[in-house]
């Protein structure tokens, strides 16, 4: 058994094969300014070997199944976006981020919503 573990270790870590855990990022905060624009803030993925783009989607709570892409960026160091005209003072908005990878797969954040005060 010890020998099998050593062989697996050698194959994975000594042969140049890189194993990546699934990258995650977190949509951290939604803030609303006096013009009812919504600022989204998130963390950079801890590991993103095949990062392609961030895509931000928005829907109104009155129709939560119809999300529209409102922003895209291929710059991994981007950590915020201002949704101008989001009308956050009049309606509750839902947002999530898709991190698209070069291999065709994607990683999705949780969905956050604005609040009416």
């Amino acid at each position: 058994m010890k020998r099998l573990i050593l062989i697996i270790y050698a194959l994975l870590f000594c042969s140049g094969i890189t194993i990546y855990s699934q990258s995650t990022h977190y949509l951290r905060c939604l803030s609303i300014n006096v013009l009812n624009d919504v600022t989204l803030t998130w963390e950079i993925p801890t590991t993103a070997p095949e990062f392609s783009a961030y895509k931000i989607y928005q829907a109104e709570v009155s129709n939560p199944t119809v999300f529209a892409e409102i922003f895209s960026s291929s710059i991994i160091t981007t950590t915020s976006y201002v949704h101008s005209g989001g009308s956050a003072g009049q309606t509750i908005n839902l947002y999530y981020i898709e991190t698209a990878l070069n291999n065709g797969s994607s990683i999705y954040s949780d969905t956050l919503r604005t609040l009416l005060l």
Side-chain angles (χ1 to χ4, degrees), residues 15-35:
S15 66
I17 296 173
T18 306
I19 297 175
Y20 298 105
S21 62
Q22 188 169 24
S23 304
T24 58
H25 67 274
Y26 300 98
L27 182 54
R28 301 294 278 170
C29 180
L30 300 178
S31 60
I32 302 169
N33 66 19
V34 294
L35 300 174

Side-chain angles (χ1 to χ4, degrees), residues 1-2 5 10 13 21 26 32-33 36-37 40 45 53 67 78 85 87-89 91 95 102 106 112-114 117:
M1 183 65 168
K2 242 183 188 179
I5 292 171
F13 298 104
S21 62
Y26 300 98
I32 302 169
N33 66 19
N36 293 322
D37 299 331
L40 293 85
F67 279 84
T78 302
S87 302
T91 185
Y95 296 92
N102 289 329
S106 293
L112 295 185
R113 59 182 262 167
T114 59
L117 299 178

Side-chain angles (χ1 to χ4, degrees), residues 50-53 55 98-108:
E50 297 186 20
F51 174 83
S52 176
K55 297 178 182 181
E98 172 189 2
T99 301
L101 303 177
N102 289 329
N103 65 8
S105 64
S106 293
I107 302 163
Y108 298 89

Side-chain angles (χ1 to χ4, degrees), residues 14-80:
C14 300
S15 66
I17 296 173
T18 306
I19 297 175
Y20 298 105
S21 62
Q22 188 169 24
S23 304
T24 58
H25 67 274
Y26 300 98
L27 182 54
R28 301 294 278 170
C29 180
L30 300 178
S31 60
I32 302 169
N33 66 19
V34 294
L35 300 174
N36 293 322
D37 299 331
V38 180
T39 300
L40 293 85
T41 307
W42 63 90
E43 292 180 357
I44 297 171
T46 53
T47 59
E50 297 186 20
F51 174 83
S52 176
Y54 295 118
K55 297 178 182 181
I56 297 178
Y57 295 87
Q58 180 265 337
E60 291 184 5
V61 77
S62 60
N63 196 1
T65 59
V66 181
F67 279 84
E69 183 180 326
I70 59 170
F71 175 74
S72 181
S73 175
S74 60
I75 302 169
I76 193 170
T77 55
T78 302
T79 58
S80 66

Side-chain angles (χ1 to χ4, degrees), residues 84-95:
S84 298
S87 302
Q90 290 82 35
T91 185
I92 297 172
N93 291 316
L94 306 169
Y95 296 92

